[in-house]
Amino acid sequence: MTSRYVALGSSMAAGPGIRPRAAGSPIAAGRSARNYPHLAAQRLGLDLFDVTYSGATTANVLGEPQHGAPPQIDALDGSEDLVTVTIGGNDVGYVPLLFAATLPAVLRALPVLGDKLRELMDPAARAAALNQVGASLREVGQVLRQRSPRARILFVDYLTLLPPPGTPAPPLTDAIADLGRHVAQRLAEQTADAAEATGCEVISAADASREHHAWSADPWTIGAGSLLPFRPKPFHPNAAGMQAVADLIAARCAQP
């Protein structure tokens, strides 16, 4: 009997724009047939239930439906051998802040949209969100452990998007790039803390991809760009990044 693998998370796990789209998946999910859950399942010979969904937050994992899709936690039935989850970035506005910074400045002058864009790029607002996400990530770990008591549960953190400090990341300003690095570092730390506190494990995709940021010679992620259809989305993994994360998962699962 094939072992059951459930993949949870946001667009960083779903792989929007990496062709082909996962058969039967909602268009809004942006779920690729070549995302890391699919690649890891193939590598490990697992029966995959992929409910990753672009735009998901910890609330969408735990209890809130998303575009008609049930909470992701509903995919668990207790028979799982492996669960992976990549979540938290939308809670803290990580990718949204980077994307907002690449939009034309005139949009920030608009009454409603402008307020939201400025809030995304506000360090104090990002700090407040970071102060809250740790508890949400721990709740995810606790509920996953309760619902899948015999599973190996892996928090997979976010691939590195930005170059190291002092390295330009055009068209982002240095201030925005520094804010993005801070958010990414704190999110990775809180993901690791949540995994340890709840008896789960962490796959540190962030550490593994330091030299493969979006401005590097061998990128595992996409930098700034346009939202062209059927192309990997800006500030998201590319196909090489998804393969690299799948390799990390396979290597961990080979360990006792």
Side-chain angles (χ1 to χ4, degrees):
M1 183 176 179
T2 306
S3 297
R4 190 170 193 264
Y5 165 25
V6 175
L8 315 172
S10 63
S11 56
M12 287 297 205
I18 301 175
R19 302 179 72 180
R21 180 165 62 94
S25 64
I27 292 176
R31 197 177 300 151
S32 170
R34 295 171 61 207
N35 62 15
Y36 79 68
H38 279 80
L39 297 174
Q42 292 166 12
R43 176 87 168 268
L44 296 167
L46 302 176
D47 189 9
L48 174 64
F49 292 78
D50 184 0
V51 294
T52 59
Y53 211 111
S54 295
T57 65
T58 53
N60 297 128
V61 170
L62 293 170
E64 290 185 9
Q66 189 178 9
H67 303 297
Q72 294 183 22
I73 202 77
D74 287 1
L76 302 177
D77 64 12
S79 68
E80 297 78 31
D81 292 281
L82 177 65
V83 177
T84 60
V85 57
T86 297
I87 204 68
N90 290 317
D91 295 59
V92 298
Y94 175 32
V95 168
L97 88 85
L98 300 177
F99 185 68
T102 67
L103 295 174
V106 66
L107 295 179
R108 292 194 284 277
L110 297 177
V112 178
L113 178 60
D115 290 344
K116 177 60 176 175
L117 295 177
R118 289 191 297 272
E119 190 270 346
L120 283 169
M121 295 184 289
D122 177 22
R126 295 309 99 225
L130 285 165
N131 287 338
Q132 297 175 2
V133 75
S136 298
L137 290 168
R138 287 191 298 275
E139 185 179 1
V140 169
Q142 289 165 356
V143 173
L144 292 181
R145 179 51 65 205
Q146 292 166 1
R147 296 283 289 267
S148 297
R150 68 184 187 88
R152 191 162 200 174
I153 300 173
L154 307 179
F155 277 85
V156 182
D157 68 15
Y158 285 57
L159 286 164
T160 295
L161 295 172
L162 296 165
T167 302
L172 301 176
T173 66
D174 290 346
I176 287 293
D178 285 342
L179 177 58
R181 291 185 192 98
H182 172 70
V183 171
Q185 179 179 346
R186 292 285 292 120
L187 181 58
E189 291 170 352
Q190 295 201 60
T191 299
D193 289 347
E196 182 177 6
T198 57
C200 303
E201 302 174 64
V202 65
I203 299 291
S204 186
D207 284 343
S209 57
R210 296 291 181 205
E211 303 301 319
H212 299 278
H213 59 80
W215 283 261
S216 70
D218 182 19
W220 290 354
T221 53
I222 304 294
S226 59
L227 290 169
L228 294 174
F230 311 118
R231 296 288 301 275
K233 298 299 181 281
F235 305 114
H236 279 81
N238 60 21
M242 286 297 187
Q243 183 63 65
V245 175
D247 290 344
L248 292 172
I249 292 170
R252 176 65 61 84
C253 288
Q255 301 172 3

